[in-house]
């Protein structure tokens, strides 16, 4: 059976986890800090905060940015629902804008149209997604966001190691914090780096970084400079006693465990090899499908693409999907547009609201894409697709 994506666990990974399990720490141990530092250095951001999963990362971001009931935030409908849900967790309103039909990414012109149609201050933030691994042009989004006083959360779950080219011709890595206020990653097994469950937030803002650390652990503060109760209250004499701590905000337990961080750290060492392999697989697919009449559209070679997914838009998608399954190839559909999920329909979203996203959904299919996909397996996938259309 050939899935659309899968993890790659090596003997080194297993050894790293076993070592962590034998250490003094199961959670909040030294591997977490090590993973954060290695990840920040890989991505090029100043700070990184490891958390329980990508969804927790999004929720913490929304909290750190102060999202509250009545706030309006713009995002794309072609993403995993969590990209939008984090705003709802804080009582904010999700406003969808359509995708660009060529890139499948949140269309900046549609976002501008929304922002310009209301008085400044109507919208608080924008959440672009590096969908499939294709990097959003965040330099342009930053300019637009600044014009309207918006923050940006970059959902980079699909794009660790991916990059876009800025206007000076420099490569800007997804999540490097140069443009977005905060970025998030997931270490779910289908993503580039697996830690079981796991996530990471990256940022260049010291202030947001400090907030995230506190919110990740129940809103508890442990350093005496930040205490607001008096020493007398704390039970100390000239200083706060060493057991003393304060819960100053309503935080959560969104910590990752030490052995998950050990796995993530071990996986991170092979991130570049995995990315290289994903790009090889993509170029073989690109070559095989070039100019084929069953394609509705094709992105071809894209500089900086991290290829979490390899997406085609095709004719007779359902029949192809079923045909592939009969041949033990489990392609997948990414994504059912979020605005048409029953939960979001209650806010008035309906068919026809996002024509490009909805048309994309009617034709898209994600082919097997993961570093351990063998050449033979990939050729079998290609041959099966060709047989379906050309037989
Ligand atoms: C996987 C994913 C998430 C959520 O990550 P989890 O670790 O599964 O919570 C959020 N956004 C996107 C785009 C994702 O692909």
């Amino acid at each position: 059976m050939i899935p659309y994506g899968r993890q790659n666990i090596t003997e080194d990974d297993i050894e790293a986890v076993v070592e962590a399990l034998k250490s003094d720490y199961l959670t909040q141990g030294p591997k977490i800090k090590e993973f954060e530092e290695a990840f920040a250095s890989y991505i090029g951001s100043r700070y990184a905060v490891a958390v329980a999963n990508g969804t927790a990362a999004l929720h913490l971001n929304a909290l750190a940015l102060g999202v509250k009931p009545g706030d309006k935030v713009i995002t794309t409908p072609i993403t995993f629902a969590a990209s939008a849900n984090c705003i709802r967790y804080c009582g904010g309103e999700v406003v969808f804008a359509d995708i660009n039909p060529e890139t499948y990414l949140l269309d900046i012109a549609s976002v501008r149209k929304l922002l310009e149609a209301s008085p400044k201050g109507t919208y608080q933030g924008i959440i672009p997604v590096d969908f499939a691994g294709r990097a959003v042009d965040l330099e342009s989004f930053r300019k637009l966001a600044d014009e309207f006083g918006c923050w940006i959360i970059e959902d980079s779950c699909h794009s660790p190691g991916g990059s876009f080219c800025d206007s000076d011709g420099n490569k800007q890595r997804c999540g490097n914090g140069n443009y977005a206020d905060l970025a998030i990653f997931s270490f779910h097994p289908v993503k580039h780096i697996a830690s079981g469950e796991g996530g990471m937030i990256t940022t260049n803002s010291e202030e947001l970084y400090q907030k995230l650390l506190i919110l990740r652990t129940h809103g508890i503060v442990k350093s005496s400079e930040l205490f607001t109760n008096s020493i007398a209250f704390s039970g100390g004499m000239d200083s706060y006693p060493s057991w003393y701590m304060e819960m100053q905000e309503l935080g959560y337990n969104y910590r990752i465990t030490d052995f998950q961080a050990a796995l993530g750290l071990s996986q991170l060492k092979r991130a570049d090899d995995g990315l290289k392999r994903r790009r090889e697989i993509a170029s073989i697919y690109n070559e095989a499908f070039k100019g084929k009449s069953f394609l509705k559209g094709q992105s071809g070679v894209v500089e900086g693409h991290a290829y979490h997914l390899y997406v085609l838009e095709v004719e007779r998608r359902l029949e192809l999907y079923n045909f592939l399954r009969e041949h033990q190839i489990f392609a997948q559909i990414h994504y059912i547009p979020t605005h048409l999920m029953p939960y979001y329909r209650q806010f008035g979203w309906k068919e026809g609201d996002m024509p490009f996203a909805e048309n994309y959904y009617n034709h898209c299919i994600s082919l097997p894409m993961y570093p351990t996909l063998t050449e033979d397996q990939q050729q079998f996938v290609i041959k099966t697709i060709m047989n379906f259309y050309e037989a």
Side-chain angles (χ1 to χ4, degrees):
M1 166 197 146
I2 306 177
Y4 83 91
R6 67 164 298 157
Q7 74 275 20
N8 174 23
I9 302 292
T10 65
E11 283 305 317
D12 282 351
D13 292 341
I14 292 167
E15 219 169 275
V17 174
V18 169
E19 207 177 295
L21 286 173
K22 287 178 177 168
S23 77
D24 290 339
Y25 301 92
L26 285 188
T27 186
Q28 288 179 286
K31 288 292 162 193
I32 295 172
K33 190 99 196 103
E34 226 182 290
F35 185 31
E36 289 172 339
E37 282 170 7
F39 195 83
S41 132
Y42 178 67
I43 293 298
S45 67
R46 212 168 295 157
Y47 306 104
V49 179
V51 293
N53 54 63
T55 306
L58 283 161
H59 187 194
L60 286 182
N61 283 2
L63 290 166
L65 291 164
V67 175
K68 57 186 188 312
D71 283 4
K72 286 178 190 261
V73 176
I74 301 170
T75 193
T76 166
I78 298 300
T79 181
F80 186 57
S83 312
N85 294 349
C86 64
I87 299 310
R88 295 294 310 136
Y89 297 155
C90 298
E93 184 186 331
V94 179
V95 179
F96 295 98
D98 211 346
I99 61 165
N100 176 312
E102 304 284 317
T103 63
Y104 312 148
L105 304 178
L106 180 62
D107 180 44
I108 193 162
S110 306
V111 176
R112 174 174 282 283
K113 223 162 116 191
L114 267 178
L115 291 170
E116 284 177 349
S118 303
K120 215 166 145 173
T122 302
Y123 294 91
Q124 280 65 46
I126 309 171
I127 307 181
V129 180
D130 300 310
F131 171 69
R134 184 170 183 149
V136 169
D137 173 1
L138 277 180
E139 188 183 24
S140 303
F141 267 100
R142 182 76 263 172
K143 280 188 199 141
L144 180 62
D146 286 346
E147 238 181 274
F148 290 89
C150 291
W151 48 253
I152 297 176
I153 298 174
E154 178 185 11
D155 184 335
S156 313
C157 283
H158 295 184
S159 62
S163 61
F164 76 95
C165 221
D166 69 16
S167 54
D168 296 326
N170 297 317
K171 269 192 190 174
Q172 296 285 347
R173 255 195 183 186
C174 299
N176 71 5
N178 287 345
Y179 300 101
D181 297 273
L182 295 159
I184 71 120
F185 297 86
S186 162
F187 308 125
H188 180 277
V190 297
K191 311 289 162 79
H192 288 54
I193 295 163
S195 71
E197 298 284 354
M200 193 75 84
I201 302 164
T202 55
T203 183
N204 285 352
S205 159
E206 158 85 29
E207 189 193 336
L208 289 172
Y209 173 65
Q210 295 299 344
K211 275 191 192 169
L212 291 166
L213 293 180
I214 293 166
L215 289 167
R216 176 176 64 176
T217 302
H218 309 284
I220 288 173
V221 166
K222 286 186 174 165
S223 58
S224 57
E225 319 89 76
L226 299 173
F227 292 159
T228 58
N229 282 332
S230 65
I231 292 175
F233 167 82
S234 73
M237 296 270 281
D238 310 321
S239 62
Y240 294 95
S242 53
W243 72 70
Y244 189 71
M245 53 80 169
E246 289 183 358
M247 192 209 109
Q248 296 186 340
E249 281 182 75
L250 188 61
Y252 294 79
N253 176 357
Y254 278 164
R255 296 185 300 260
I256 194 170
T257 64
D258 212 48
F259 53 96
Q260 286 173 311
L263 178 54
L265 192 58
S266 177
Q267 291 253 315
L268 181 60
K269 292 185 185 138
R270 296 194 311 279
D272 279 331
D273 297 339
L275 188 56
K276 190 163 155 261
R277 183 72 194 112
R278 284 173 185 275
R279 286 173 172 162
E280 278 167 13
I281 292 168
S283 73
I284 291 168
Y285 278 142
N286 282 343
E287 206 45 49
F289 301 130
K290 203 155 69 185
K292 293 292 173 189
S293 59
F294 55 82
L295 293 180
K296 293 275 299 171
Q298 201 196 335
S299 46
V301 181
V302 178
E303 196 55 33
H305 203 307
Y307 289 107
H308 164 57
L309 303 174
Y310 186 88
V311 179
L312 290 181
E313 278 185 281
V314 296
E315 304 283 3
R316 296 160 58 207
R317 191 260 314 265
L318 174 62
E319 288 167 71
L320 173 65
Y321 174 84
N322 287 332
F323 185 78
L324 291 173
R325 284 174 84 91
E326 282 163 24
H327 293 83
Q328 296 302 303
I329 298 165
F330 291 78
Q332 193 43 284
I333 306 306
H334 298 95
Y335 287 96
I336 301 162
T338 312
H339 71 289
L340 298 179
M341 289 291 175
Y343 175 79
Y344 282 99
R345 283 183 194 254
Q346 72 176 301
F347 302 106
W349 298 100
K350 58 187 189 310
E351 269 113 320
D353 284 346
M354 304 283 131
F356 289 125
E358 292 165 33
N359 181 64
Y360 163 83
Y361 167 63
N362 288 329
H363 297 283
C364 68
I365 188 163
S366 306
L367 302 186
M369 166 57 83
Y370 49 92
T372 53
L373 182 72
T374 65
E375 280 178 47
D376 285 351
Q377 286 171 327
Q378 190 181 8
Q379 287 309 323
F380 177 66
V381 172
I382 292 168
K383 207 176 85 198
T384 310
I385 295 172
M386 297 305 185
N387 285 347
F388 174 77
Y389 285 109
E390 288 171 358

